[in-house]
């Protein structure tokens, strides 16, 4: 064990650039700024966010490349370093974390955080996963000292799916908004569609996966484009890229839709766009929706489980539409384009600030054993 104070350790598969990874980065860097000793433990030290790890956060590369292969190295890390607590994120990592902590002697408490709606996530992984995940969660999540969900909807879904007592699942909203995020929204985006005189830009952002349902967004945008001049940008990478690009070609939208890949200055794109659209089939607490509101952008979101309805206060702060409904998305986007500029009450985003989330996590850590 090193001579530094026992760190708060965060465990992730990688820094591939998704919402959960950015949440952990915000928590880790915010705690380090408060003088807390922090380790960021990665199954594999890879991903576009790797260069953003602050110097005050110690990076631990377990070299596992896959989460399950990091089980042994994580166990050795826990035995040697004895962190104050291990905070894990994402389902596979949560299971590996509780297993490793148990094998390491059970002296390191684990806080397992759930960033998604588990029933939906398991269903989309196929029949075996749909049957297996609830059993695994029911068997092993009780090994965690605490289980945290990122929204009330996600907490209720997890309690049902894993048959956990609802009081065992604590809700802490993600740390999304901090001064750096706000500052990033005033920088110009590096894309030619944002120069003066160009048509309005509709923006989507997230992993190019089935969960995000960018197919519905593209089909909805096709109806928008028939009514007025506009463009669509979708930021992110993922396994659906080829099929999304094929759909753009099929609908004759090649001049109006682009998928420029991952961008680390998403806030700049949000602030410069006319409308941000969340088209997901399911979520936990969509970080990008909160960021868009903080950037002052009009928002449209599917009323998916879970998070958008909580964030948008039942539709008072943005337009909610049914899941997988391109015509409804098109109608909402057209309404948003004609609406006045977005105005969000000053207190509506307070629960999603880094300061609030860090306070909640530090308070929780004081209680776990």
């Amino acid at each position: 064990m090193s001579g530094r104070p026992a760190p708060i350790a965060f465990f992730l598969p990688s820094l591939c650039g998704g919402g959960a990874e950015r949440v952990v980065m915000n928590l880790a860097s915010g705690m380090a700024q408060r003088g807390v000793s922090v380790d960021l433990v990665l199954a594999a030290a890879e991903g576009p966010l790797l260069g953003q790890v602050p110097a005050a956060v110690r990076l631990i590369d377990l070299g596992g490349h896959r989460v399950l292969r990091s089980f042994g190295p994580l166990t050795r890390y826990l035995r040697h370093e004895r962190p104050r607590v291990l905070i894990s994120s994402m389902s596979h990592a949560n299971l590996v974390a509780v297993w490793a902590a148990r094998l390491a002697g059970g002296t390191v408490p684990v806080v397992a955080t759930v960033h998604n709606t588990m029933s939906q996530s398991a269903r989309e992984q196929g029949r075996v996963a749909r049957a297996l995940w609830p059993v695994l969660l029911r068997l092993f999540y009780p090994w965690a000292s605490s289980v945290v969900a990122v929204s009330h909807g996600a907490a209720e879904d997890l309690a049902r799916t894993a048959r956990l007592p609802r009081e065992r699942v604590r809700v802490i909203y993600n740390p999304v908004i901090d001064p750096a995020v706000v500052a990033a929204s005033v920088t110009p985006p590096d894309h030619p569609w944002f120069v003066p005189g160009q048509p309005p830009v509709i923006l989507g952002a997230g992993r190019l996966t089935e969960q995000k349902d960018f197919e519905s967004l593209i089909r909805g945008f096709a109806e928008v484009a028939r009514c007025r001049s506009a463009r669509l940008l979708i930021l992110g990478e993922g396994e659906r890229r080829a099929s999304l690009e094929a759909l753009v070609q099929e609908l004759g939208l090649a001049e109006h839709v682009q998928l420029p890949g991952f961008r680390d200055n998403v806030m700049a794109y949000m602030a410069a766009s006319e409308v941000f659209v969340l088209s997901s089939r399911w979520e936990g607490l969509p970080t990008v929706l909160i960021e868009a509101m903080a950037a002052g952008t009009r928002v449209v979101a599917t009323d998916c489980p879970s998070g958008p309805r909580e964030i948008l206060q039942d539709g008072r702060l943005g337009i909610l539409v049914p899941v997988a409904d391109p015509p409804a998305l098109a109608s909402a986007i057209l309404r948003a384009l004609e609406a006045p500029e977005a105005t969000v009450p000053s207190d509506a985003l307070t629960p999603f600030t880094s300061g609030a989330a860090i306070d909640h996590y530090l308070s929780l850590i004081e209680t776990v054993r």
Side-chain angles (χ1 to χ4, degrees):
M1 186 175 178
S2 65
R4 64 199 283 256
I8 292 173
F10 292 90
F11 175 53
L12 275 173
S14 68
L15 290 177
C16 65
E21 292 85 351
R22 285 189 288 148
V23 164
V24 171
M25 287 281 285
N26 286 347
L27 281 172
S29 60
M31 288 184 185
Q33 288 171 8
R34 295 192 186 190
V36 177
S37 179
V38 177
D39 283 355
L40 180 58
V41 184
L42 303 177
E46 59 187 24
L49 293 178
L50 200 59
Q52 298 181 28
V53 178
V57 174
R58 186 173 68 160
L59 182 65
I60 306 293
D61 181 8
L62 299 179
H65 300 293
R66 294 178 64 86
V67 175
L68 283 176
R69 291 182 182 176
S70 68
F71 171 63
L74 180 61
T75 303
R76 290 190 290 273
Y77 163 81
L78 294 175
R79 283 175 176 161
H80 183 261
E81 295 296 334
R82 301 286 181 86
R84 170 69 185 84
V85 65
L86 180 67
I87 303 175
S88 59
S89 296
M90 306 173 74
S91 300
H92 291 80
N94 288 341
L95 292 181
V96 169
V98 295
W99 294 339
R102 180 64 64 96
L103 187 61
T107 59
V108 177
V110 174
V111 174
T113 63
V114 177
H115 290 258
N116 231 324
T117 303
M118 285 306 305
S119 63
Q120 295 288 335
S121 181
R123 185 176 298 120
E124 296 296 328
Q125 294 177 46
R127 185 178 302 174
V128 174
R130 185 166 63 246
L132 185 59
W133 270 111
V135 176
L136 291 173
L137 300 182
R138 187 159 62 251
L139 286 174
F140 298 113
Y141 270 24
W143 289 10
S145 297
S146 183
V147 179
V148 172
V150 297
S151 69
H152 291 280
E156 289 158 10
D157 178 84
L158 176 63
R160 286 193 304 269
T161 302
R163 298 182 190 174
L164 294 171
R166 174 60 183 83
E167 60 271 15
R168 278 275 290 137
V169 186
R170 182 162 174 170
V171 176
I172 301 180
Y173 285 139
N174 286 337
V176 178
I177 303 166
D178 61 20
V181 166
V182 175
S185 68
V186 301
T187 60
D190 51 349
H191 196 283
W193 282 1
F194 293 105
V195 299
Q198 295 295 312
V201 173
I202 315 302
L203 185 69
R207 291 180 184 167
L208 308 184
T209 62
E210 184 174 0
Q211 174 187 356
K212 304 304 181 181
D213 194 16
F214 289 125
E215 288 86 353
S216 287
L217 176 54
I218 292 169
R219 293 186 184 279
F221 176 77
E223 298 187 30
V224 171
R226 284 194 286 270
C227 298
R228 60 167 299 163
S229 177
R231 287 167 169 169
L232 173 65
L233 279 178
I234 300 176
L235 306 181
E237 287 293 352
E239 65 267 18
R240 305 286 288 193
R241 170 173 285 278
S243 62
L244 292 172
E245 290 175 336
L247 179 60
V248 170
Q249 294 293 331
E250 175 191 329
L251 297 176
L253 295 171
E255 294 184 3
H256 308 283
V257 179
Q258 286 189 10
L259 286 76
F262 178 85
R263 292 290 185 271
D264 58 10
N265 59 336
V266 177
M267 284 294 291
Y269 279 76
M270 288 177 171
S273 298
E274 292 296 321
V275 179
F276 177 82
V277 182
L278 181 89
S279 53
S280 300
R281 294 176 179 270
W282 74 91
E283 287 284 351
L285 188 82
T287 298
V288 288
L289 185 59
I290 300 166
E291 289 174 334
M293 293 169 65
T297 309
R298 306 172 185 90
V299 295
V300 171
T302 51
D303 191 12
C304 68
S306 52
R309 182 167 286 276
E310 286 181 48
I311 295 167
L312 297 181
Q313 298 182 3
D314 296 322
R316 287 189 291 275
L317 304 180
I319 304 173
L320 290 165
V321 300
V323 172
D325 189 336
L329 272 177
S331 176
I333 291 169
L334 288 169
R335 284 164 53 201
L337 285 170
E338 298 301 324
E341 289 190 10
T343 55
V344 179
S346 58
D347 61 346
L349 297 177
T350 301
F352 310 110
T353 60
S354 290
I358 291 168
D359 286 345
H360 287 308
Y361 270 101
L362 290 177
S363 175
L364 171 63
I365 289 166
E366 289 300 315
T367 68
V368 296
R369 297 288 185 269

